[in-house]
Amino acid sequence: MSGEFEPKIVGFLCNWCSYAGADKAGTAQSPYPPNVSIVKVMCSGRVDPQFVMAAFDKGADGVIMLACHPGDCHYTEGNLRALGRHRMLLRLLEQLGIEKERCVMDYVSAGESEKFVKVINDTVRAVRELGPFRPFSSHSGK
Amino acid sequence: MRIGVYLCNCGGNIKDKIDAEKVRAGVLGLPGVGYFKAVDFLCSEGGKDFLAGDLKTERPDRVVIAACTPREHENTFMKILASSGINPYLMQMVNVREQIAWVTEDKAMATEKAARLISAALRRVSLHEPLSKREIDVCPDVLVIGAGPAGLKAALSMAESGRRVSIVEKSPVIGGMPVRYEELFPSMECGPCMLEPVLSEVLHGEHSENIELLTLSEAVGVIGSYGNFTVKIKKRPRYIDAEKCIGCAECIGVCPASAENEFNYGMNERKAIYVPFAGALPNIPSIDETVCLRLKGKECSLCLDACPVEGAIRFDEKEQTIERNAGAVIVATGSGLYDCKKIPNLGYGRLSDVYTGAEFERMLSSNGPTEGNIKTSKGKSPKSVAIMHCVGSLDKNHIEYCSGICCQYAFKFNHLLGKKLPGVRIFHFYKELAVPGKEEFELYAHAKGDPNTTFIRYADITDLKVGSKGGKKAILFKKSAKKSDSVSVDMVVLCPAVVPLPDSAKLGGILGSPADRFGFFEELHGRLDASQSKIKGIYLAGACQSPMDIQSAMTQGMAVSGYVLSGLVHGRKLEISPVCAVVDPEKCSGCRVCVSVCPYKAISYDPEKETAAVNDVLCQGCGTCVAACPSGAIKGNHFTTEEIMAEIEGILR
């Protein structure tokens, strides 16, 4: 590594669309930075806001939530639940003084490997520019 | 705890980017790791044999497999675990090929990321619990609602394979809409003749003993779920003993009371004891209690006196509520037509000689109110007829979609009009024309080539104004933005949009099966699963799901039979995936947020215990309720909060 700040980002991906989209980026061998580590959930509706807050608490510099496009959710509307929770999270993060660019939600279908790579690149770039996340709880230290 | 870690090299696919020795060094010291092995092709026959043998030798408590995407081989490896005596859910895969090796340019970074994700999987898998599929007994019998083409096709195919089928039909007759049509597009087959063999098979065929036909009946309540529904059915009295009646119709002629015949859209009358039209099946009359003098408390026994069979007419019959058990319910209730009165400029209901397509079908039928003669209200043969396509269709003020069948019957009318009334002038007013398919073009081509047929395109239905002028219908239409023109005809036939039946919402409510934005029964997936409803075990066949022709309805009838025959098998239990949500009643506060977010109606609330409970037969394991529960009372099996939190910690170690 070049000594440049390498952000740690946790990506929550739904099994049916986004995870498959990420797999397609793999099959297409489209390179992207290794900063995002993926946690698979069956549905983006499973992403508990606690997971996002815990990720920040445990040292993540950013979080990505990826879901099926509206209307395409394998479970009908879990993605819309995720959308609502993401909006709520943004308000909470704002209250805590955390930049909203650190918490991204987007839709990636199983076919959209290029979009997946773009979301990863954009988020990694944005978080890198923001610099390391300074934990909000005092016990976490620096 | 002893965790075994396997890294698949996938030939060079993984090996070239991920340094197995460095991963080994990073992983071996981690808590719980018993051993680390790199294998060349874990999914190959040799690789699978190695894994099975190695698991038997090593006897790990948990297994981590770092290889390709779990979407490819998770099931393969789960099966190997199971065959090696290890619970298959005690494994976690790490997608080091698609997510790392194939997309990371720098080998050191790829290796570091692989070690990181394996460490996350180790933390997660140490919390995995052994899970097993639950098996439940299922009822292989089926209930079909609606005895039109789709419902009968489904019932017959399932009865042929030995299933017991109950058909619930609201009206006294079977066959649905097409038995009321003299001839059918695209090949001008006689509707009753085409369907009669199907109806006969249902009533008296080789497998008819497997079919219970409940006419004059409605489903009024449903409890249970896939594999084990109990359906409550309200059965209205026919007042005729179907076993005794010989169908001679002696009773009908003598009946002194009559009413509008709803099967002919009120264009003629029927008796209080009646069959809706000649040839209707089953060939057993029914008595309309709102019309029958005796059932209204008056003295009359004319039908009884005329009936040659003792006890065939049963005035003491009462409404019954019965129950049937079924593993699956098939909805095949059909569709209706858009109310043409909602487009008042077309004159329907206000002017004489303006008919809907369905009414005109009955006029064309030899068993209809005019015995197949096309007559105006003055009793004359029309010399000119206007056929209006797209009535209410493709119109954001009415119905947005194209029903797909109207053009075809409109061109059928064109053909029949020309045949019955040589020289008749026909005007087709249309917004768009739709005649897809390998047979459907012929009637269209015939109309196009007919010198007596004129096509007039309109932009908006409000551009057409039907008025009455000198005993004729004057149709004013826009020829261009500024110019108007008019034609004068003796009769107007409207082709309205095909719409959901008015009471389909009620049935949907009873079944818990939601409606789409138009009011049709909503399918699970428009292309993959158009014949499955959103509720497991409730299937959709025919026009209750979308406007469709007989061919599609019949095909859907077969499709739903396929779901039933493959899903509910005699003697085979239903496997319930353990990856589902479970409510801890001790923690549940009874707030019912989970009930509101579940897309499958899998969660119910027990008002006595004041807690929610998940039906694992219906639960699909999405975990939306788990994330929504404010009390943390719901556990998402295999995706528990603790497991996901451990994975997050592992990533961020």
Side-chain angles (χ1 to χ4, degrees):
Chain A
M1 294 192 201
S2 58
E4 189 185 10
F5 162 58
E6 288 297 338
K8 283 184 181 175
I9 297 172
V10 180
F12 296 100
L13 271 63
C14 80
N15 181 57
W16 305 97
C17 291
S18 312
Y19 196 92
D23 275 349
K24 190 164 178 251
T27 313
Q29 312 219 354
S30 316
Y32 57 85
N35 308 63
V36 181
S37 300
I38 292 170
V39 174
K40 184 180 85 172
V41 283
M42 293 311 283
C43 177
S44 58
R46 175 66 185 95
V47 181
D48 190 323
Q50 281 189 78
F51 299 162
V52 176
M53 299 313 282
F56 282 121
D57 188 40
K58 293 177 196 312
D61 302 297
V63 170
I64 299 176
M65 296 161 66
L66 297 181
C68 306
H69 282 270
D72 291 350
C73 177
H74 184 81
Y75 303 104
T76 313
E77 54 190 19
N79 53 351
L80 304 182
R81 305 278 168 212
L83 178 68
R85 289 170 190 152
H86 179 251
R87 283 188 186 144
M88 189 271 290
L89 273 165
L90 290 186
R91 285 167 63 186
L92 177 63
L93 295 176
E94 189 187 12
Q95 290 292 312
L96 295 167
I98 303 172
E99 301 89 342
K100 67 177 192 306
E101 292 79 8
R102 292 189 191 274
C103 183
V104 171
M105 154 127 197
D106 214 326
Y107 306 108
V108 170
S109 76
E112 291 178 326
S113 58
E114 288 170 16
K115 178 166 181 194
F116 171 76
V117 171
K118 185 179 183 309
V119 174
I120 299 293
N121 277 323
D122 290 353
T123 310
V124 170
R125 192 182 310 114
V127 175
R128 188 175 275 142
E129 279 170 20
L130 288 172
F133 168 61
R134 303 289 172 206
F136 42 81
S137 54
S138 54
H139 67 264
S140 300
K142 278 190 95 172
Chain B
M1 181 170 294
R2 189 161 173 273
I3 309 172
V5 182
Y6 296 89
L7 172 67
C8 176
N9 288 327
C10 195
N13 282 300
I14 293 172
K15 196 169 144 189
D16 290 351
K17 276 289 166 62
I18 294 170
D19 185 332
E21 287 317 304
K22 282 193 178 145
V23 174
R24 178 197 304 275
V27 163
L28 271 182
L30 295 175
V33 177
Y35 60 90
F36 174 97
K37 295 181 186 183
V39 187
D40 254 348
F41 284 105
L42 208 48
C43 67
S44 67
E45 289 309 310
K48 287 191 281 189
D49 288 346
F50 161 77
L51 181 61
D54 201 54
L55 290 172
K56 281 181 192 142
T57 313
E58 296 278 4
R59 308 295 320 153
D61 300 307
R62 300 284 188 277
V63 177
V64 168
I65 296 179
C68 54
T69 171
R71 293 171 64 252
E72 196 154 324
H73 280 303
E74 191 166 47
N75 279 330
T76 311
F77 300 135
M78 282 175 84
K79 279 185 199 158
I80 294 173
L81 258 75
S83 70
S84 308
I86 301 174
N87 186 286
Y89 294 91
L90 298 179
M91 174 193 79
Q92 177 71 6
M93 279 191 78
V94 184
N95 185 350
V96 294
R97 191 179 70 177
E98 277 82 350
Q99 284 179 15
I100 304 176
W102 277 348
V103 292
T104 310
E105 288 170 322
D106 182 278
K107 190 171 175 178
M109 282 178 146
T111 304
E112 194 278 331
K113 187 173 177 184
R116 175 193 296 274
L117 291 187
I118 291 171
S119 119
L122 286 164
R123 293 192 195 211
R124 188 193 208 280
V125 82
S126 68
L127 299 174
H128 280 201
E129 290 165 300
L131 299 170
S132 41
K133 288 181 178 164
R134 193 166 75 84
E135 291 189 331
I136 57 164
D137 290 319
V138 292
C139 170
D141 301 344
V142 189
L143 187 108
V144 176
I145 306 176
L152 293 179
K153 186 74 172 178
L156 204 52
S157 350
M158 291 183 295
E160 279 168 3
S161 76
R163 297 308 173 93
R164 292 187 43 78
V165 184
S166 297
I167 306 176
V168 177
E169 166 58 42
K170 207 164 82 174
S171 80
V173 296
I174 62 172
M177 298 302 285
V179 288
R180 304 172 198 189
Y181 306 156
E182 182 91 355
E183 294 187 74
L184 303 172
F185 69 75
S187 48
M188 308 308 289
E189 267 175 285
C190 153
C193 317
M194 184 187 83
L195 282 159
E196 211 274 337
V198 178
L199 308 191
S200 288
E201 278 296 312
V202 168
L203 294 171
H204 317 292
E206 204 182 329
H207 304 283
S208 60
E209 73 275 10
N210 288 334
I211 300 177
E212 174 194 37
L213 176 64
L214 301 165
T215 51
L216 292 162
S217 298
E218 271 177 83
V220 291
V222 176
I223 53 167
S225 56
Y226 180 49
N228 295 286
F229 290 106
T230 303
V231 185
K232 198 183 270 184
I233 299 154
K234 193 170 85 181
K235 196 171 180 304
R236 287 180 285 131
R238 186 184 272 271
Y239 301 105
I240 310 289
D241 188 327
E243 299 296 316
K244 290 186 179 161
C245 174
I246 56 167
C248 68
E250 291 292 334
C251 51
I252 298 173
V254 297
C255 178
S258 53
E260 270 189 359
N261 187 354
E262 57 274 48
F263 291 86
N264 289 332
Y265 305 97
M267 293 189 287
N268 69 345
E269 294 202 323
R270 57 158 173 87
K271 295 297 182 66
I273 185 166
Y274 71 107
V275 287
F277 45 87
L281 291 175
N283 181 26
I284 306 163
S286 54
I287 300 179
D288 181 345
E289 61 203 10
T290 64
V291 183
C292 171
L293 299 178
R294 188 183 178 113
L295 286 168
K296 289 203 295 188
K298 293 182 181 147
E299 288 280 326
C300 182
S301 60
L302 289 170
C303 58
L304 273 175
D305 299 341
C307 179
V309 183
E310 180 76 28
I313 300 179
R314 300 264 316 267
F315 283 109
D316 60 342
E317 245 185 46
K318 295 275 177 288
E319 182 178 293
Q320 300 175 56
T321 301
I322 57 174
E323 282 189 349
R324 290 291 177 270
N325 295 324
V329 175
I330 289 165
V331 183
T333 45
S335 57
L337 291 179
Y338 192 61
D339 180 5
C340 295
K341 288 181 188 150
K342 290 184 179 168
I343 310 173
N345 50 305
L346 300 181
Y348 181 76
R350 178 167 55 84
L351 303 175
S352 57
D353 299 311
V354 181
Y355 296 100
T356 67
E359 290 164 352
F360 193 62
E361 291 278 9
R362 292 306 295 147
M363 193 184 279
L364 290 170
S365 291
S366 50
N367 64 5
T370 60
E371 295 174 337
N373 295 307
I374 307 168
K375 296 282 182 202
T376 65
S377 52
K378 294 209 173 75
K380 289 184 178 163
S381 298
K383 291 193 169 60
S384 52
V385 177
I387 299 175
M388 308 263 186
H389 298 231
C390 316
V391 173
S393 300
L394 297 169
D395 191 331
K396 66 177 174 9
N397 295 319
H398 297 282
I399 299 293
E400 283 177 276
Y401 52 81
C402 165
S403 299
I405 62 163
C406 333
C407 281
Q408 299 182 58
Y409 73 69
F411 296 128
K412 173 184 79 175
F413 290 164
N414 197 100
H415 175 75
L416 289 170
L417 276 163
K419 199 169 115 187
K420 288 185 181 237
L421 306 170
V424 66
R425 293 273 292 150
I426 305 167
F427 298 89
H428 285 270
F429 287 88
Y430 69 100
K431 191 187 281 176
E432 304 288 350
L433 293 176
V435 278
K438 65 177 182 181
E439 292 178 284
E440 288 71 3
F441 67 94
E442 290 203 45
L443 286 168
Y444 166 64
H446 182 270
K448 266 289 197 197
D450 180 357
N452 290 322
T453 298
T454 307
F455 283 73
I456 299 168
R457 192 169 190 181
Y458 66 88
D460 192 283
I461 197 83
T462 55
D463 294 344
L464 305 175
K465 296 201 171 33
V466 182
S468 199
K469 196 177 166 191
K472 287 189 156 240
K473 304 301 135 216
I475 303 167
L476 196 67
F477 60 96
K478 273 190 189 168
K479 211 170 177 185
S480 63
K482 285 181 184 156
K483 270 186 161 173
S484 284
D485 202 347
S486 75
V487 294
S488 190
V489 295
D490 297 318
M491 188 179 277
V492 178
V493 180
L494 308 177
C495 305
V498 176
V499 296
L501 282 174
D503 49 2
S504 74
K506 188 175 141 208
L507 180 60
I510 290 165
L511 298 169
S513 179
D516 65 17
R517 65 194 177 109
F518 303 113
F520 290 101
F521 279 85
E522 188 173 19
E523 59 286 313
L524 184 60
H525 189 285
R527 279 137 295 281
L528 296 175
D529 283 302
S531 291
Q532 283 206 66
S533 79
K534 291 271 180 186
I535 303 298
K536 203 170 176 187
I538 295 182
Y539 301 103
L540 311 174
C544 66
Q545 181 252 326
S546 173
M548 67 179 68
D549 62 8
I550 300 166
Q551 182 190 47
S552 304
M554 288 283 189
T555 307
Q556 276 205 340
M558 281 310 291
V560 293
S561 311
Y563 283 119
V564 171
L565 298 179
S566 62
L568 297 173
V569 181
H570 266 301
R572 197 170 80 190
K573 295 187 179 214
L574 200 63
E575 281 192 345
I576 311 297
S577 167
V579 182
C580 62
V582 183
V583 179
D584 179 350
E586 292 297 313
K587 289 188 191 163
C588 176
S589 68
C591 72
R592 282 168 274 181
V593 166
C594 53
V595 177
S596 72
V597 300
C598 177
Y600 302 100
K601 296 201 169 24
I603 311 182
S604 56
Y605 175 72
D606 183 335
E608 278 186 21
K609 293 181 190 154
E610 298 183 327
T611 52
V614 177
N615 178 341
D616 60 0
V617 181
L618 298 179
C619 177
Q620 303 291 305
C622 67
T624 299
C625 60
V626 186
C629 177
S631 317
I634 310 182
K635 180 164 134 188
N637 276 345
H638 210 48
F639 288 87
T640 66
T641 298
E642 294 73 20
E643 287 163 357
I644 295 173
M645 285 293 198
E647 196 175 346
I648 296 168
E649 277 174 31
I651 286 170
L652 299 167
R653 67 198 164 123

